[in-house]
Amino acid sequence: MTRPPSKRTRPLLGKKSTAAAEAIGRSRGCLTTKVHALVDALGNGLRLALPLGQHADSPQLPGLLAAAPGAVVADSADDTNAVLAAVALTEAEPVIPPKVSRKQQRAYDANRYADRNKVERFFGRLKEARGFATRYQKTAISFLAVAHLLAAIDWMRYCPHTLGQGWGW
């Protein structure tokens, strides 16, 4: 005896999301996600961005500079004319080492450039949460929400008013 085909309990809501829409891209064959961050002088996260797929790093920097910082510290991959123009619009000092391929090498403050490790330490603190480090979230919105939540928790944990005493409980 054959069964009649069952009716769908839920109508199709539309096409599934694509990898590009969920900010997943390929880097050397692996699926990856990039998160860009703007941190203050103490290493606290101010702004986070999740670019689409495997887009380059330098186009993301002007979007992060909504607030006028005193200096923009970035690596030499961000040494493009567009990034330098965006930094000049915010009247900040560009602390970006010039690329080797630039014809006219610019001077930059090497002591201030040493503060770039604060961004790396910020991401290291975020990656202490295993869900963020391995991206358990399926959608880009959920992943960015978790990143913002972790940045807020990090801000409260390392707030200068608590002097590193944690939650104070």
Side-chain angles (χ1 to χ4, degrees):
M1 180 171 171
T2 61
R3 294 176 53 193
S6 61
K7 292 193 322 185
R8 229 180 233 289
T9 57
R10 180 178 132 203
L12 291 175
L13 298 176
K15 186 179 174 186
K16 285 187 173 182
S17 176
T18 63
E22 300 305 335
I24 298 174
R26 288 212 175 263
S27 175
R28 297 183 184 212
C30 300
L31 293 175
T32 61
T33 299
K34 289 183 181 178
V35 180
H36 296 276
L38 177 71
V39 299
D40 63 2
L42 298 174
N44 297 319
L46 298 177
R47 198 165 208 162
L48 297 172
L50 194 64
L52 298 175
Q54 60 265 20
H55 286 191
D57 293 344
S58 59
Q60 308 305 320
L61 186 62
L64 291 173
L65 297 177
V72 175
V73 182
D75 60 355
S76 60
D78 293 318
D79 181 34
T80 63
N81 293 335
V83 167
L84 293 174
V87 171
L89 284 176
T90 61
E91 298 177 358
E93 177 191 353
V95 185
I96 304 171
K99 289 182 180 178
V100 178
S101 60
R102 256 198 201 272
K103 291 183 180 178
Q104 291 183 341
Q105 296 287 312
R106 298 182 286 100
Y108 71 100
D109 188 359
N111 289 330
R112 278 187 120 167
Y113 181 71
D115 283 343
R116 198 177 85 76
N117 70 38
K118 292 180 181 174
V119 176
E120 305 299 331
R121 287 189 281 156
F122 169 73
F123 277 116
R125 290 190 303 266
L126 291 187
K127 288 181 181 180
E128 289 175 7
R130 188 173 67 182
F132 177 79
T134 57
R135 189 180 168 162
Y136 284 171
Q137 293 73 28
K138 187 173 183 178
T139 62
I141 293 173
S142 298
F143 181 65
L144 192 57
V146 167
H148 280 105
L149 179 66
L150 291 172
I153 290 171
D154 180 61
W155 184 287
M156 288 186 284
R157 189 184 316 166
Y158 295 104
C159 182
H161 301 295
T162 61
L163 299 174
Q165 297 175 10
W167 295 98
W169 295 340

